[in-house]
Amino acid sequence: MAATVSSEHFTNLQLLLKAPSKDAVRDVCVQSHRAASRRLAEATAATLNISTAQAAQLVHSLHVLSHHVVFHSLSSPEQILALFPASFHSSLKNLITKILLENSPTWRTEAAGDHISVPQLKHVDWRVDMVTGSDSLSRMSVPTCLVQLQVDDPCPLAGGESVSTVMVELSRESLDTILDGLGRIRDQLSVVAGK
Amino acid sequence: MQLYFTKDVLPDSVSTDFQNLNKFNEQQFHRLIQVLFQFLLEPKETERFMQQLTEFAGEHGMSAGPLRNLMKSVLLVPQGALKKNLSGEQIKDDLVTLGLNEDKATHFSQQWSEHYAALSRLAVAHTLMVNQLVDMEWKFGVTVGTSEIQKTGNIFLQLKLVVRRGNSTENIYMELTLPQFYNFLHEMERAKASMECFS
């Protein structure tokens, strides 16, 4: 059973009735999902002709509601409408529900990509070089592979870099071993996907 | 003295050492060369090399010290020859120039040609690699839920790469989504195909 959103939030949401247009409502909803910032509260206060304090509460309530929808993966109108109290203004209820349904797939995908994790691989570049000489052999002909991995750390340590680049050199044998390992991962993934 | 295996001026003691080499009979010389090449193929086995020379010295009634010095001079030739990719002919010429008699020089150069492939492979293995990948570990699983989404089912893959940085190793951790994994696999297959063109 999905938890409920408390009624005080819906009281705040009724302030949206003062919005000049449906687009204005849509804007506030979408922007408050990201973060409840002071600037947003001030802009909303101006648009709706309400006090900044009231606008801040409204933005916060919208934030709670939209995150609730994403958290519980509410995907049908009935599920969202069920959250509203019976006395809530009916057209506003339908409008907010419609906006939430429109945006929640995007919000879900963003949330899925944004979770805490170890650094994420962003980009892979490689090149194959031919080593033609070294201090141990003045003439040789050995291919070697250089791989550049661009890794993005979503939670870098204080003072640490967010994006780091790793260069790795692979001999032919290492590359074969890696491909062997990756092949096994692929096989295991297909088993899991098949279930 | 014009030599293929080195451009340096050799100390006189080297010439003397090679002339002394001529004093060994055929059987003794073959044994010494065998010991020498065994060491070249396994350069970490210095103890064993010294041991074998001491035994040889004992068997043939000579002192170990001078024999070891002699072999040190002899070692200069194959070590230089390997770096310069010398042929059997060139190494034979150098040995003769240094004062070794024809028969012994021929035998040495034959042994050289026989072992050349193995010695080259050893030298290739010593060629430096930058940030060499030493090990790769992985695990993959399913994200069941997060603070933002109560129920989810995204597959993730975590890789740990162990990279040699100088004398120590460094662990690099990263996470890949499924599309990123398939892309990575695809790129590595392309790299392998590119490498195979060169073989």
Side-chain angles (χ1 to χ4, degrees):
Chain A
M1 194 188 81
T4 49
V5 177
S6 68
S7 56
E8 59 173 89
H9 291 299
F10 289 105
T11 313
N12 292 333
L13 290 179
Q14 306 243 61
L15 288 165
L16 285 169
L17 289 168
K18 298 194 179 200
S21 67
K22 286 188 183 169
D23 283 337
V25 174
R26 183 169 282 115
D27 274 340
V28 182
C29 286
V30 169
Q31 284 179 42
S32 56
H33 178 81
R34 255 180 239 318
S37 74
R38 195 189 156 74
R39 225 164 18 110
L40 178 61
E42 282 169 5
T44 309
T47 316
L48 298 176
N49 211 3
I50 52 179
S51 74
T52 314
Q54 284 175 313
Q57 282 181 323
L58 168 62
V59 163
H60 175 68
S61 297
L62 277 171
H63 184 87
V64 167
L65 180 61
S66 60
H67 277 259
H68 180 94
V69 167
V70 170
F71 184 77
H72 291 286
S73 306
L74 302 181
S75 50
S76 74
E78 296 72 35
Q79 284 173 315
I80 302 182
L81 290 167
L83 295 170
F84 289 81
S87 57
F88 200 87
H89 188 282
S90 150
S91 337
L92 182 60
K93 178 170 70 173
N94 290 334
L95 176 62
I96 295 177
T97 304
K98 184 164 152 229
I99 294 170
L100 291 171
L101 279 174
E102 272 171 12
N103 287 287
S104 58
T106 316
W107 290 334
R108 255 188 81 95
T109 317
E110 271 174 17
D114 213 16
H115 58 82
I116 56 168
S117 88
V118 295
Q120 300 190 324
L121 180 66
K122 284 291 175 239
H123 193 61
V124 179
D125 266 325
W126 58 267
R127 106 180 170 210
V128 169
D129 280 349
M130 187 62 108
V131 180
T132 55
S134 75
D135 68 315
S136 38
L137 274 179
S138 64
R139 269 191 345 264
M140 54 196 278
S141 170
V142 175
T144 183
C145 178
L146 292 161
V147 178
Q148 187 185 68
L149 304 160
Q150 212 168 55
V151 171
D152 199 5
D153 193 348
C155 325
L157 298 170
E161 285 297 308
S162 172
V163 178
S164 62
T165 302
V166 181
M167 273 292 276
V168 178
E169 184 170 345
L170 306 167
S171 67
R172 191 114 169 258
E173 294 74 30
S174 304
L175 185 56
D176 283 339
T177 310
I178 287 189
L179 278 169
D180 199 42
L182 293 178
R184 274 188 272 155
I185 297 175
R186 183 190 48 202
D187 293 339
Q188 288 176 321
L189 283 170
S190 5
V191 169
V192 168
K195 283 205 181 112
Chain B
M1 210 187 307
Q2 283 282 50
L3 292 163
Y4 294 110
F5 81 92
T6 181
K7 297 255 180 299
D8 297 335
V9 174
L10 295 170
D12 291 336
S13 55
V14 175
S15 277
T16 321
D17 284 331
F18 274 94
Q19 276 153 23
N20 285 336
L21 213 46
N22 286 325
K23 293 185 190 155
F24 290 105
N25 67 35
E26 195 180 316
Q27 198 190 21
Q28 291 168 328
F29 182 73
H30 284 211
R31 172 66 190 148
L32 275 179
I33 297 308
Q34 188 189 33
V35 167
L36 184 84
F37 274 94
Q38 211 181 12
F39 174 60
L40 285 171
L41 289 165
E42 285 166 313
K44 294 210 170 102
E45 300 286 335
T46 40
E47 283 251 353
R48 186 185 66 189
F49 180 55
M50 291 295 150
Q51 175 89 355
Q52 285 170 325
L53 289 181
T54 313
E55 271 172 22
F56 182 93
E59 277 166 31
H60 300 278
M62 56 183 74
S63 14
L67 179 64
R68 279 205 284 269
N69 289 336
L70 182 136
M71 290 308 271
K72 271 195 218 158
S73 296
V74 178
L75 266 176
L76 292 173
V77 177
Q79 283 168 346
L82 190 58
K83 285 197 191 188
K84 303 254 169 117
N85 303 95
L86 293 186
S87 67
E89 271 300 307
Q90 288 168 314
I91 224 186
K92 182 176 157 207
D93 286 346
D94 273 355
L95 289 168
V96 167
T97 313
L98 285 165
L100 197 62
N101 69 36
E102 274 277 337
D103 292 336
K104 291 189 165 67
T106 309
H107 175 78
F108 192 105
S109 106
Q110 268 170 359
Q111 288 296 297
W112 172 255
S113 305
E114 257 182 50
H115 294 292
Y116 184 60
L119 288 169
S120 291
R121 274 198 295 275
L122 212 64
V124 169
H126 280 138
T127 302
L128 73 89
M129 284 186 88
V130 177
N131 291 353
Q132 185 181 14
L133 183 69
V134 172
D135 194 19
M136 178 175 89
E137 291 176 33
W138 76 82
K139 75 176 180 214
F140 69 89
V142 177
T143 303
V144 174
T146 73
S147 53
E148 298 302 307
I149 306 177
Q150 192 186 38
K151 247 185 1 182
T152 174
N154 293 328
I155 298 181
F156 66 84
L157 172 73
Q158 283 181 358
L159 281 185
K160 169 180 156 192
L161 301 173
V162 182
V163 169
R164 175 160 293 128
R165 283 212 197 274
N167 280 334
S168 58
T169 57
E170 182 181 322
N171 297 332
I172 297 167
Y173 299 92
M174 61 187 77
E175 187 168 300
L176 288 73
T177 63
L178 220 47
Q180 283 171 331
F181 164 70
Y182 284 114
N183 185 45
F184 184 51
L185 175 58
H186 178 62
E187 290 302 320
M188 291 297 100
E189 284 178 341
R190 284 176 67 203
K192 176 172 168 168
S194 180
M195 280 243 224
E196 302 214 306
C197 285
F198 289 113
S199 63

